[in-house]
Structure formats: structure tokens, C-alpha cells
Amino acid sequence: MTHPATAMPAISYNFAYLDEQTKRMIRRAILKAIAIPGYQVPFAGREMPMPYGWGTGGVQVTAALLGADDVLKVIDQGSDDTTNAVALRTFFETTAGVKTTSHTAEANVIQTRHRIPETPLKPGQVLVYQVPIPEPLRFLEPRETETRKLHALSDYGLIHVKLYEDIARHGHIATTYAYPATVNGHYVMDPSPIPKFDNPKMDHSPALQVFGAGREKRIYAVPPYTSVVPLDFADHPFTVQRFSQPCALCGAEGVYLDEVILDDQGGRMFVCSDTDYCAGRQAEGHTGTLSAPDAPTRADEGPKEGCS
Amino acid sequence: MTSSAMPRPKADDEAPLLVAEKLTRFYGARLGCREVDLTLHPGEVLAIVGESGSGKSTLLSLLSTELAASSGRVLYRQRDGVTRDLATLSEAERRLLLRTDWGFVRQHAEQGLRMAVSAGGNVGERLMAVGGRHYGAIRQQAIDWLGRVEIEADRVDDDPRSFSGGMRQRLQIARNLVTRPRLVFMDEPTGGLDVSVQARLLDLIRSLVAQFGLAVVIVTHDLAVARLLSHRIMVMKSGRVIEEGLTDQVLDDPREPYTQLLVSSVLVP
């Protein structure tokens, strides 16, 4: 059978790209990961049609989780419209035909790279993280055999040596992303390179959080309503980043902001890293210092013309 | 001088701290050491001497549970007074023992230190591993211990790569003693150091041993080090203990021909 317009053979994918046996294997790994919160479960990661580092782990987890009636949202650094997010969303539109959305509240499955949405997650939602390096001890102890023992024995003095070094060198704990946290009182996990600003959102979240590392072939999970406690010292407690100004477009405070360079004269603005959240606030009529009354907002930004 | 500075053993310290019974280790068909019996009391310093390949490092690895024995066993009296066969300890118990009650000073400081971590972090590691979670307190103890091993407090944030050989050894000692162990293993702690640095290090070890009443098993091929530090001595050859006794007695009046050879081989400047 050929496609009428292009005369190329029509490609038909199995639902969500992966074959059913592979999806079952990944689901077993996910179930085990949920049963042992924070424990890195090895799984037989497949080659995906994208390079390692582009979310191959997250994609496999999402593929195994998706059902025909699920609604998918994909974000990359908080944004719905950057390369990685667009590419993966189109991938699942093509291979699974599922509905996609950019609204956090409407999605059942949210695949994310490096952020947790600002809109609080609800029960029934699943947040899938793309993880480059799942082992929080990797740069402290190179032997995998030894790190597994350290995890098994809950022997995490080494991570505190790292934090000690931070304070000794910088005067404060200088780790700002991928901030290690204890899950359910036992395993220490790398929460993927989310800013430490997002760490408190993981604690007792009503949503299921699943982490997929494609290159390292590991899956781990934080079940709903599970404690996630960042490591710290009694006299240097964990703190999150603070911003001195609100979002320049929607005036939001207490959210994670991106710095955007406006010109080569040192002009800059700080805007929400979560584009869906920012657009939602602008639609509700919130404004910031740089939002002109008649300027197009992110919500009604259409495809730009004449940019090729 | 040393013996007079030693604290007198308390009544409940009469029982031996460490006992090895018929300790044997083969590497395939080759012999590491054979049927070694050994008893170490609290506060006692035992030197194991012998030439390269005589099995002294194997014996030290067996005692410190780094190697499993082919046969025989090692008993250790814990702080709670219970004597345990070390082979029956769980991995978690073994690791706790290694980082609280024991120390291990290695010949090459790079093996005993984290070279990319500051001196303070090196000393503090054991404290954090046993649950220390107060940065200020950990750092204060690290500075305190650097002082005891004669490293200036302003070097606390330097990493050991910038330290001399003698300083690295002293840092290793501080790192091991910070949890107040009762038993320290030393493998050629003065190897590769020039004589004046050696002398200072030996002085330091001697005073710390006396001050804290440490039991020490020290492996060395240097008879002068053995004479200076140890109360008792064991001479090994081809994996067996051929002679043992009080250090002065063995070195002044060696009985075995091999020991006589060893003693007469020492160069006198």
C-alpha cells in the first residue's frame, strides 16, 4: 500500500513505537521502581530513533505508560515549544496518535526535561523525567559494584563529603541543580538536573514520578505521597533559589525564572521558565513590567511568517 | 620513656583485643601465609617484620578483613565487650568497625586519602560517615586534629596533592584517629620518606599511641622502626612466623639464623 501524495510506502508503527514485549519489560521495571522508592532498577533499554541525551530513557518510560486515551504534555526546561519538547511531542503524535496538550492541568502524562511544572500536580498524573546520570554517587565513587553496596547499606557519608567541600570552597552548598535527596528515608537519588528550586515540589507530591535514564539503562520512581528530603547540614540547611524581581511578562512571584538577554546593551529580563504557567497568567490578565498593553502575549503567539 | 607514658591497662582490658587462630591464606596454589597465631592486647604495639614476599602484608590484610582467610579465624573484642569472629560480621557491621573502632595507615598516602578532597574533608569523612551533620562541628574537629598532627590550621582547605610526603602521612593519621579507634593497622607508614621526616613521623606516632592507648599492628621491613615503636615483634619468612617475642629481646639476641641475618643486615652509618 502506498501513500497517495508521496508515493512512499506508508509506515505503520506499533502503538507508541515500542513493541509490546518491550513495553511489558519496561512496565515490570517501573512497577519494581515504584515498590522500592528511589532504587535504580536496571532495564533492557532499547535503541530509540534519537541520540542518547535527548531523552531516550524518558521516551521509553512514556511509551510504556501511554494508553490510547491519555493526554500527553512534553516540556523542555519548562517550555512547551523548544526543540526537544516539540520533537518528542510530534514523535508520540505520529507513533501513538495520542492527544497532546501544553496545559499542565489537562495532561495525564507529562514528560519533562529539567523542570517540574509550576501548576501543582494532581492525583492521577504521571511526571516522567529524562535523566542523564542516575547515580548520585557517580563522581564520588567510580565503581558501580561499590555504589550499589553503598546504596544497599544506606552509606551516604560520601555525598556529605561533597557538600562539605562545597561549603569549604564557596561558603555555602553550591550545588544548584540535580540536588541529591533521600527518598522514603532510605535511598538517595539524583532528581535529574532540575533546579534545586523544584526539589520541594517532589516531596509528598500527589502525582507519580518516574525517572528514565536511557544511556545508563536505569528506571527509578517516587510514588505519590512519598517523602523526598534534600541532604544538608544542620548549620547549613537546604534553601532554594530566590529571585529579586517578579516575571517581566506575567508578574508571577515565587516561580523559577529564566534570564533572557534582550539586546547587546546589557538589557535583560526575567521571565517564567514554565511557558504554560506564564501564558495562563497572562490570559487571566496579569501583567509584568515589560508586557505592553497591546503587545502579543505568549498565549496568542502564532506561527511567524517570513522567517525562513 | 614510651612505656612510662603508656596508660596502665584497666582491669577489664585484660582480655585480648584481637586474636588470630591458625590464619592461612593461599593465592591459588601459592602460599600467602600459613597457620599464624597472634594475640594483641589493648594498648599494645606489635611489629611484623620480614623481607618482601614473606607474607606480612597478606597477614595484615587478613587481620583487617580486607582479605578472606583460606582457613583459620580472627576474633575481635568490640567496644561492648563482646568478642566476635570477624568472618561472621555483616557487611554493614564490618564497615562500621572499619571506620569507627579501627584505622588503617597505608604506605602510599594516595591509597588512604581522597586526593581531590580538601584536608578538612578527608579528616571529616569518617565523622560524616557515622552521622555527623553539623558542618561547623565537623570542621572544628578537623582543624583540631590537623593541629595534633602538626599541620597548620590554614591548610585545612588545601587538598593533599599540595602536601609533602610526610604531611600526607600525618594527614592520613589524623583521618584515621578522628573517631578515636582502639586498633590501628599500619603498613610501612614511613616507607619512602627521608630519614629526618621519618624521625618526626615516628615521634608523632609514638606520642599518639601513648596518649590514646592505641593497639597497633605495624608491618615494616625497617628494624629500626620496629625497635622504636613496638613492644613485641614477629619475624616472618616464607609465609610463616619463625620467631616472636619482646622487641628488644628478639633484636638484641636473635635465635633463628634468618633473624640473625636480618639483624646483621642493618646498615649502621
Side-chain angles (χ1 to χ4, degrees), chain A residues 113-126:
Chain A
R113 173 173 176 268
H114 301 190
R115 272 313 307 278
I116 297 175
E118 303 289 358
T119 311
L121 299 174
K122 298 175 299 188
Q125 287 184 313
V126 184

Side-chain angles (χ1 to χ4, degrees), chain A residues 196-197 238-245 254-257 270:
Chain A
K196 67 176 178 178
F197 181 87
F238 173 82
T239 53
V240 298
Q241 292 102 330
R242 301 225 174 279
F243 297 92
S244 54
Q245 46 192 304
V255 296
Y256 195 72
L257 301 179
F270 287 88

Side-chain angles (χ1 to χ4, degrees), chain A residues 172-173 175-176 179 196-197 199-200 230-232 236-242:
Chain A
H172 58 98
I173 297 178
T175 306
T176 54
Y179 195 103
K196 67 176 178 178
F197 181 87
N199 266 45
L231 301 180
D232 58 5
H236 285 264
F238 173 82
T239 53
V240 298
Q241 292 102 330
R242 301 225 174 279

